[in-house]
Amino acid sequence: MRKYRGHAKLVLKPGSTKEVSKILKYCNDNMLAVVPQGGNSGLVGGSVPVFDEIVINMSRMNNIRFFDEVSGTLVADAGCILEVTDHYLAERGYIFPLDLGAKGSCHIGGNVATNAGGLRLLRYGSLHGSVLGIEAVLPDGTIVDDLSKLRKNNTGYDLKQLFIGAEGTIGIITGISILCPQRSKAVNVAYFGLESFEKVQAAFREAKSQLSEILSAFELMDSGSQDFVAAVTKNKRPLEGEHPFYCLIETSGSNSEHDNEKLEKFLESVMEKDIVSDGVVAQDETQVRSLWAWREGVSECSGHWGGVYKYDVSIPLQDMYKLVEETRARMDAAGLMGSGSSHPVVGVIGYGHMGDANIHLNVAVRRYDKVVEKELEPFVYEWIKERNGSISAEHGLGLAKKNYIGYSRSEAMIGLMKQIKRLYDPVSPPSFSLGFEG
Amino acid sequence: MRKYRGHAKLVLKPGSTKEVSKILKYCNDNMLAVVPQGGNSGLVGGSVPVFDEIVINMSRMNNIRFFDEVSGTLVADAGCILEVTDHYLAERGYIFPLDLGAKGSCHIGGNVATNAGGLRLLRYGSLHGSVLGIEAVLPDGTIVDDLSKLRKNNTGYDLKQLFIGAEGTIGIITGISILCPQRSKAVNVAYFGLESFEKVQAAFREAKSQLSEILSAFELMDSGSQDFVAAVTKNKRPLEGEHPFYCLIETSGSNSEHDNEKLEKFLESVMEKDIVSDGVVAQDETQVRSLWAWREGVSECSGHWGGVYKYDVSIPLQDMYKLVEETRARMDAAGLMGSGSSHPVVGVIGYGHMGDANIHLNVAVRRYDKVVEKELEPFVYEWIKERNGSISAEHGLGLAKKNYIGYSRSEAMIGLMKQIKRLYDPVSPPSFSLGFEG
């Protein structure tokens, strides 16, 4: 988003947990600010040295420490790249229980620190459930060694949970232990067009009921998002004709024949019930990838005209798409959106993870403009607060949203979070509040 | 286990979160000890007033507050009985993501407070993943209102996680929000006999690979456990002939035909490979229940002769059954085990959740006897510590294991837990250490 430019005089690349401990102890004793950095793929400025922080980059800690082929338990350094880790697991018939667009550069330690959700949360669940153990270093250098390989251990408080989603503000994660599911032998993908968001909801209900245990993704893309991908990639669209909404369904299972039968029955029934207007099922691996490209390409393509304001939010399902419509109407009413270069806004689109009630609102612009920003904020945040949604479903707070936490959390909850921050990081100046940013 | 007898002069049954808050504030201000109590089905003495505590019983807070049929989000009072809640969900096509033997009396708040695992953790995962929000009251009366209905909310620390498994020591859970999966239309159960624990492990690997997404339980029972059930219930055994080990497999899916086909293929292949010696598949709902009774009945039946010492532990899979064999050998060597009434020990059995590397070691006795206890402890705990296992996979610490946490947690981790206890409950006398017991 070109929003944050880093300035750092010193980048440290520790090679071991002990080195991380020594660095943090030294910095803590000498009141030197640090910012932990994984693959630097975050979207909220959390890993950027925006002041004068020392960068602690984890990329040298990238070893797989242990893998058990019976239980699927993996223990690995925080700096392992997600895609590399997943390839390691693929060779052994397993899959990392998380997948996201930035997999080629993001670190698994960063994924855990930011509680990444990604494309298959619907199937594999939250990291709070799949992470078995964590090794982390507290600000004063204390090493928290909680790298359990056990699926069940009810002996005292589950402190590792605090580090999942804390974005490195109470400690730096140096290693994780995680339960990996078996990789599915059969993967099927369908892409279809729908008339309204009501029909998208109906299709989702049907998919949950009919595809149930094999449903691994249910993704939503509006027509604007697909127009962007078509305009930028010039690829042939998967369906003839235009539809206001598109969905991508992925199934993963152990028996290709069974899954095909279920998916075809599902498509038949939703076409018959007039829920879906048109649809296509991938016939081979190449088609699976090309259909996914219409979902995975949205983020990059919407930045094509110069820039994009991105909001990654969670809203109770029935209201989810209204945010996009109302934001679009607002841009229109303010005269900011149009095809000529005098209009800063190219378009307002919505897409995301239907299965998690998680939508990405993207406002594609020709240039970043304070006038656009003023129309967007606090409007978007207030809209979400009114509906008890979350202003950050996946991306975290970082620097971008550190002042907006009050839109998604009560004063009382923020007070309790500050207690925890003070407990683990008493030296940090109070101006850092919760310390998000890094 | 007849181990704890409660003494209480006062039992309070609050009807609202506000009342819980007033009670805790009053007790905190006046230094009165309390013990929260759910369905009183715990096995470690955690809900028993063993000193002179005031019992805070949650049974009057038993309302379903909210349910969304599209997302499966349930919000309910802590005092709702698990089975009642599951019936409510069943009528709507959903299932509570947890099932256990005590479902007829245990409370969902108690389930969350003790991080219960139960029979279907293999399929539905840990409560750390499925619980979306918690309402709790801290010792000083502060109400923590974190009853989010969102599947994704990455805005700050996920404090609700601390209450999951804390056994009420840092606050009393008054309400929960939880994501419920769709109820499977098809449930199949198979029961089979095997020659050795090596073959049980091989069968588990095959089941994970072939049954994958429809596998909802893989339970282990040794011959001794099945002998107990046979002796007490006088029921006809599911299989002809004797086998050293038995397993129960359950599949749950959306298509009965597909699931049957997968299960039959699986049984054929494990019989062909000589992994399984003999097996039977339930033909109807009645047979499903009667096969499950051979697993679910073990706990009750092993208490038939007078009493039973129970250990619920987690050990890396390959070593899991050795604990039972070595404990049995130890009882034998000490001359404590035999058929005459002069021997206190009737038998040593093992059974449990293979899918979670979680075994229940039961030592069935004619009478509780210090000599038996001395042979068992600290032997069992030391054995587990050596293998980096957990001395309490599911049941928690309570009073029974509060002094044994060191066998499963490092000094450093216990120190960090004490910090958290002090943060939320500074008034509690230090002799209470972590406060487990209640």
Side-chain angles (χ1 to χ4, degrees):
Chain A
M1 291 161 80
R2 301 185 202 165
K3 220 168 164 181
Y4 307 105
R5 181 173 295 276
H7 301 275
K9 291 196 178 126
L10 183 61
V11 177
L12 297 173
K13 295 191 164 185
S16 69
T17 303
K18 270 196 185 149
E19 285 183 13
V20 175
S21 167
K22 280 184 191 165
I23 291 169
L24 285 186
K25 184 171 174 12
Y26 182 87
C27 292
N28 203 51
D29 290 348
N30 293 279
M31 290 289 281
L32 297 166
V34 301
V35 57
Q37 190 174 80
N40 212 5
S41 60
L43 288 167
V44 288
S47 56
V48 183
V50 281
F51 306 106
D52 60 349
E53 303 97 313
I54 295 164
V55 174
I56 302 179
N57 181 293
M58 300 298 290
S59 57
R60 274 183 64 222
M61 287 189 67
N62 60 359
N63 289 315
I64 304 283
R65 301 190 197 171
F66 170 88
F67 183 67
D68 173 23
E69 302 214 8
V70 178
S71 64
T73 306
L74 173 83
V75 182
D77 285 352
C80 290
I81 288 171
L82 176 57
E83 195 169 41
V84 174
T85 313
D86 191 54
H87 283 165
Y88 172 93
L89 292 165
E91 283 167 18
R92 288 152 183 86
Y94 283 84
I95 187 169
F96 200 86
L98 172 78
D99 189 16
L100 42 81
K103 62 187 161 212
S105 53
C106 66
H107 291 183
I108 58 172
N111 293 149
V112 173
T114 56
N115 188 28
L119 300 167
R120 287 180 189 88
L121 187 103
L122 180 65
R123 176 66 169 272
Y124 300 120
S126 149
L127 289 173
H128 285 287
S130 51
V131 170
L132 300 175
I134 276 180
E135 180 189 78
V137 182
L138 299 183
D140 68 0
T142 303
I143 295 173
V144 178
D145 179 6
D146 194 15
L147 265 185
S148 167
K149 293 172 191 161
L150 304 170
R151 187 147 185 193
K152 286 179 174 175
N153 184 9
N154 276 348
T155 54
Y157 308 144
D158 195 357
L159 295 179
K160 67 167 183 286
Q161 300 288 352
L162 282 178
F163 295 90
I164 303 176
E167 301 179 42
T169 62
I170 53 175
I172 297 184
I173 295 173
T174 53
I176 65 163
S177 168
I178 189 164
L179 191 70
C180 301
Q182 292 233 331
R183 210 172 192 92
S184 295
K185 289 165 203 140
V187 174
N188 290 303
V189 169
Y191 178 99
F192 46 92
L194 310 98
E195 253 170 44
S196 67
F197 189 65
E198 280 64 44
K199 298 210 167 173
V200 173
Q201 290 178 73
F204 178 53
R205 269 195 300 263
E206 291 288 330
K208 285 217 303 178
S209 163
Q210 293 189 42
L211 302 172
S212 181
E213 72 276 6
I214 59 168
L215 187 63
S216 54
F218 193 111
E219 298 290 304
L220 163 76
M221 297 85 72
D222 67 4
S223 62
S225 75
Q226 300 302 276
D227 290 347
F228 280 180
V229 176
V232 176
T233 65
K234 312 265 196 282
N235 287 340
K236 187 173 173 291
R237 286 172 185 260
L239 300 176
E240 311 266 318
E242 303 258 330
H243 306 272
F245 292 93
Y246 298 87
C247 288
L248 183 147
I249 280 186
E250 186 193 77
T251 65
S252 316
S254 54
N255 184 313
S256 186
E257 243 171 75
H258 289 172
D259 295 2
N260 265 328
E261 199 186 311
K262 284 188 184 103
L263 189 57
E264 267 161 33
K265 247 193 202 161
F266 163 76
L267 279 176
E268 256 171 51
S269 100
V270 286
M271 303 268 285
E272 224 166 69
K273 288 179 192 165
D274 207 25
I275 294 172
V276 158
S277 314
D278 194 8
V280 60
V281 178
Q283 298 303 319
D284 54 37
E285 185 59 30
T286 313
Q287 284 186 19
V288 164
R289 271 196 302 271
S290 84
L291 287 182
W292 261 114
W294 287 89
R295 163 63 184 85
E296 291 192 294
V298 177
S299 177
E300 203 187 320
C301 294
S302 56
H304 175 75
W305 290 268
V308 49
Y309 293 98
K310 291 183 183 186
Y311 298 90
D312 161 45
V313 303
S314 185
I315 306 163
L317 211 56
Q318 67 276 17
D319 284 343
M320 198 170 88
Y321 196 72
K322 267 190 213 143
L323 173 65
V324 182
E325 291 170 335
E326 294 188 16
T327 305
R328 193 183 293 132
R330 207 175 155 85
M331 290 295 138
D332 235 355
L336 294 168
M337 189 162 66
S339 55
S341 66
S342 63
H343 296 99
V345 178
V346 181
V348 177
I349 60 162
Y351 63 104
H353 315 297
M354 188 75 187
D356 318 324
N358 175 194
I359 196 161
H360 301 303
L361 166 70
N362 278 16
V363 179
V365 292
R366 297 190 171 83
R367 55 191 174 272
Y368 289 108
D369 191 322
K370 286 276 167 211
V371 183
V372 176
E373 262 164 64
K374 265 185 72 178
E375 283 297 319
L376 286 171
E377 294 177 23
F379 165 75
V380 169
Y381 296 133
E382 280 169 0
W383 199 96
I384 291 160
K385 186 182 180 164
E386 266 170 45
R387 283 151 189 93
N388 293 315
S390 170
I391 61 158
S392 188
E394 296 196 302
H395 298 165
L397 293 170
L399 183 66
K401 298 181 181 173
K402 66 179 274 200
N403 296 322
Y404 304 140
I405 184 174
Y407 287 108
S408 288
R409 298 286 197 173
S410 66
E411 270 308 306
M413 287 308 295
I414 297 169
L416 290 169
M417 289 183 201
K418 284 184 178 168
Q419 276 189 337
I420 293 285
K421 172 69 175 169
R422 273 195 300 272
L423 184 67
Y424 290 112
D425 191 14
V427 169
S428 207
S431 66
F432 271 63
S433 68
L434 281 171
F436 288 97
E437 175 268 300
Chain B
M1 290 161 80
R2 303 186 201 164
K3 220 170 163 179
Y4 307 105
R5 181 173 295 276
H7 301 275
K9 291 197 180 125
L10 183 61
V11 177
L12 296 173
K13 295 191 164 186
S16 70
T17 304
K18 270 195 186 147
E19 286 184 12
V20 175
S21 166
K22 278 183 192 165
I23 291 168
L24 285 185
K25 185 169 172 15
Y26 181 86
C27 292
N28 204 51
D29 290 348
N30 294 280
M31 291 288 283
L32 297 166
V34 301
V35 57
Q37 191 174 80
N40 212 6
S41 60
L43 288 166
V44 288
S47 54
V48 182
V50 282
F51 306 108
D52 60 350
E53 303 97 313
I54 295 164
V55 174
I56 302 179
N57 181 292
M58 299 300 289
S59 57
R60 274 183 63 221
M61 287 188 67
N62 61 359
N63 288 314
I64 304 284
R65 301 190 197 172
F66 170 89
F67 183 68
D68 174 22
E69 302 213 8
V70 178
S71 64
T73 306
L74 173 83
V75 182
D77 286 351
C80 290
I81 287 172
L82 175 57
E83 196 169 39
V84 174
T85 313
D86 192 53
H87 282 164
Y88 172 92
L89 291 165
E91 283 167 18
R92 287 149 185 87
Y94 282 85
I95 187 170
F96 200 86
L98 171 77
D99 189 15
L100 42 79
K103 61 187 160 212
S105 53
C106 67
H107 291 184
I108 58 172
N111 294 149
V112 172
T114 56
N115 189 27
L119 301 167
R120 289 179 188 87
L121 187 104
L122 180 65
R123 175 66 169 273
Y124 300 120
S126 148
L127 289 173
H128 286 287
S130 51
V131 170
L132 301 176
I134 276 180
E135 180 189 78
V137 181
L138 300 183
D140 68 0
T142 302
I143 295 173
V144 178
D145 179 7
D146 194 15
L147 267 185
S148 167
K149 294 172 192 163
L150 304 170
R151 187 147 186 191
K152 288 178 172 175
N153 184 10
N154 276 347
T155 52
Y157 307 144
D158 196 357
L159 296 178
K160 69 167 181 284
Q161 300 288 351
L162 282 178
F163 295 89
I164 303 175
E167 302 179 40
T169 63
I170 54 175
I172 298 184
I173 295 174
T174 53
I176 65 162
S177 167
I178 190 163
L179 192 69
C180 301
Q182 293 235 331
R183 209 171 192 93
S184 294
K185 290 167 204 140
V187 174
N188 291 303
V189 169
Y191 178 100
F192 47 91
L194 310 97
E195 254 171 42
S196 67
F197 189 65
E198 281 63 44
K199 297 210 167 173
V200 174
Q201 290 179 73
F204 178 53
R205 269 195 300 266
E206 290 288 332
K208 286 218 303 179
S209 164
Q210 293 189 41
L211 301 173
S212 184
E213 72 277 5
I214 60 166
L215 188 63
S216 54
F218 194 112
E219 299 289 304
L220 163 75
M221 297 85 71
D222 66 4
S223 61
S225 75
Q226 300 302 276
D227 290 346
F228 279 0
V229 176
V232 175
T233 65
K234 314 263 195 281
N235 287 338
K236 188 174 173 288
R237 287 173 184 260
L239 301 176
E240 311 265 318
E242 302 259 329
H243 306 272
F245 292 93
Y246 298 87
C247 289
L248 182 146
I249 280 186
E250 185 194 76
T251 65
S252 317
S254 54
N255 184 313
S256 185
E257 243 171 76
H258 289 171
D259 294 3
N260 264 329
E261 198 185 314
K262 285 188 183 104
L263 188 57
E264 266 161 33
K265 248 192 199 160
F266 163 76
L267 279 177
E268 256 171 51
S269 101
V270 287
M271 303 266 286
E272 222 166 72
K273 288 179 191 165
D274 207 25
I275 294 172
V276 159
S277 314
D278 194 8
V280 59
V281 178
Q283 297 303 320
D284 54 37
E285 185 59 29
T286 313
Q287 284 186 18
V288 163
R289 272 196 300 272
S290 85
L291 287 181
W292 260 115
W294 287 90
R295 163 64 184 85
E296 292 192 295
V298 177
S299 178
E300 204 188 320
C301 294
S302 56
H304 175 77
W305 291 267
V308 48
Y309 293 97
K310 292 184 184 187
Y311 298 90
D312 160 46
V313 305
S314 184
I315 306 161
L317 212 55
Q318 67 277 18
D319 284 344
M320 198 169 89
Y321 196 73
K322 267 190 214 143
L323 173 64
V324 182
E325 291 168 336
E326 294 189 16
T327 305
R328 193 182 294 133
R330 206 174 154 85
M331 290 297 138
D332 236 353
L336 294 169
M337 192 162 65
S339 55
S341 66
S342 63
H343 296 99
V345 178
V346 181
V348 176
I349 61 162
Y351 64 103
H353 316 297
M354 188 75 188
D356 317 323
N358 175 194
I359 196 162
H360 301 302
L361 166 70
N362 278 15
V363 179
V365 292
R366 294 189 173 83
R367 54 188 175 273
Y368 290 109
D369 191 322
K370 286 275 167 212
V371 184
V372 177
E373 261 163 65
K374 265 184 73 179
E375 283 298 318
L376 286 171
E377 293 177 24
F379 165 75
V380 169
Y381 296 133
E382 279 169 1
W383 199 96
I384 291 160
K385 185 182 181 165
E386 266 169 45
R387 285 151 187 91
N388 293 313
S390 171
I391 60 157
S392 188
E394 297 195 302
H395 298 166
L397 294 170
L399 182 66
K401 298 180 180 174
K402 68 179 272 202
N403 296 322
Y404 303 139
I405 184 173
Y407 287 108
S408 286
R409 299 286 197 172
S410 66
E411 269 308 306
M413 287 308 296
I414 296 170
L416 290 169
M417 289 183 203
K418 284 184 177 167
Q419 274 189 340
I420 293 285
K421 172 68 177 168
R422 272 195 301 271
L423 184 67
Y424 291 112
D425 191 14
V427 169
S428 211
S431 65
F432 270 63
S433 67
L434 282 171
F436 289 97
E437 173 269 300

